Amino acid sequence: MFEILKNIDMEPFILSFKLALTTTVILFLIALPFAWYLSQTKSKVKPFLEAVSALPIVLPPSVLGFYILWALSQNSPVGAFFERYFDLKLVFSFPGLVVASCLYSFPFMLQPLQSGFEGLNRRMLEAAYISGKSTFETVMRVAIPNIKPSLLTALIVTFAHTVGEFGVVLMVGGSIPGETKVASVAIYEQVEVMDYTTAHIYSAIMVLLSFAVLLAVYLFNQKQGNRLSTGV
């Protein structure tokens, strides 16, 4: 058993964590102002924006992966632009995986943040504005410190969801060792060659990591709930 574990290639997991961390940081910077806007606006386009941003949740990964693959390819304006001016091929590359992961995991970052902002006490925000704080200061000093459970949920769930991606990353990145071969793709390949022992080990690692992430979220939220109920 120890000999089998010794021969396990950890590179796909390292690449998965690198992808997940990069995606989480980028999405946090993008989703935070957008979530604030959606939580505060009364515009008629709000339902449309919410529906568009939630599409990756309901679309089959193959559909989303196909359109992302087309959009990043050399035959699309986006892909051609990056290759011509930055000499960067987005298809079957790590940067392409980051773009695909950001699109696929966007609602998992956005929705918890939006729910947290919408649950804030309106009087607290109004008091911040009355005291002379700008919108940026209100968000950074008042809103964010008061949505810690939602913030942690958004960060951890986005990270975990990105680590577990398969369909989209396979279509956009393929399986290039050290470049695009993430853990989920490695498991699929082991099953294809009927190496079920390695597939079991890879899968077990993913199960344990996913469970640990979710447990951390629930424990933190429970702790925050207890603090609120006791007034501590």
Side-chain angles (χ1 to χ4, degrees):
M1 181 64 180
F2 289 105
E3 190 62 32
I4 295 174
L5 292 174
K6 200 175 179 180
N7 294 327
I8 291 295
D9 182 14
M10 297 303 294
E11 190 174 55
F13 292 97
I14 295 173
L15 188 61
S16 291
F17 294 145
K18 178 183 175 183
L19 175 63
L21 181 61
T22 305
T23 300
T24 301
V25 171
I26 293 173
L27 284 184
F28 176 72
L29 297 175
I30 295 173
L32 185 66
F34 189 49
W36 174 257
Y37 169 77
L38 290 178
S39 70
Q40 303 301 305
T41 186
K42 295 181 180 178
S43 171
K44 292 182 179 180
V45 301
K46 179 180 176 179
F48 174 79
L49 294 175
E50 290 177 322
V52 171
S53 63
L55 270 178
I57 296 177
V58 298
L59 280 178
S62 56
V63 174
L64 186 62
F66 169 73
Y67 280 113
I68 295 175
L69 179 63
W70 173 81
L72 301 183
S73 69
Q74 298 171 322
N75 298 323
S76 77
V78 175
F81 173 81
F82 275 94
E83 184 170 357
R84 180 176 180 180
Y85 293 100
F86 299 97
D87 194 24
L88 181 64
K89 292 184 179 180
L90 295 177
V91 176
F92 304 122
S93 68
F94 185 78
L97 281 190
V98 172
V99 174
S101 295
C102 285
L103 292 172
Y104 189 42
S105 296
F106 184 67
F108 295 90
M109 177 66 76
L110 175 69
Q111 292 183 0
L113 292 177
Q114 183 183 345
S115 297
F117 286 141
E118 289 176 343
L120 288 172
N121 189 320
R122 303 295 302 183
R123 292 181 180 179
M124 179 176 60
L125 299 178
E126 290 170 1
Y129 290 131
I130 292 173
S131 66
K133 287 184 172 61
S134 65
T135 300
F136 179 78
E137 289 176 319
T138 300
V139 173
M140 300 304 295
R141 297 184 181 182
V142 179
I144 291 180
N146 285 281
I147 62 163
K148 288 180 182 178
S150 298
L151 179 61
L152 183 69
T153 298
L155 293 172
I156 293 182
V157 171
T158 300
F159 184 90
H161 182 258
T162 305
V163 170
E165 288 177 11
F166 172 67
V168 171
V169 295
L170 180 63
M171 292 188 71
V172 176
S175 179
I176 304 173
E179 180 73 18
T180 63
K181 185 179 179 180
V182 294
S184 57
V185 175
I187 293 171
Y188 174 74
E189 289 185 347
Q190 296 304 321
V191 172
E192 271 198 322
V193 299
M194 293 187 289
D195 184 357
Y196 297 124
T197 300
T198 304
H200 271 303
I201 295 172
Y202 279 4
S203 299
I205 294 173
M206 294 293 287
V207 169
L208 290 173
L209 290 173
S210 299
F211 176 77
V213 165
L214 292 174
L215 181 61
V217 171
Y218 287 123
L219 287 175
F220 180 83
N221 287 342
Q222 183 184 47
K223 186 176 180 181
Q224 290 296 313
N226 292 337
R227 283 184 177 179
L228 290 175
S229 63
T230 56
V232 178

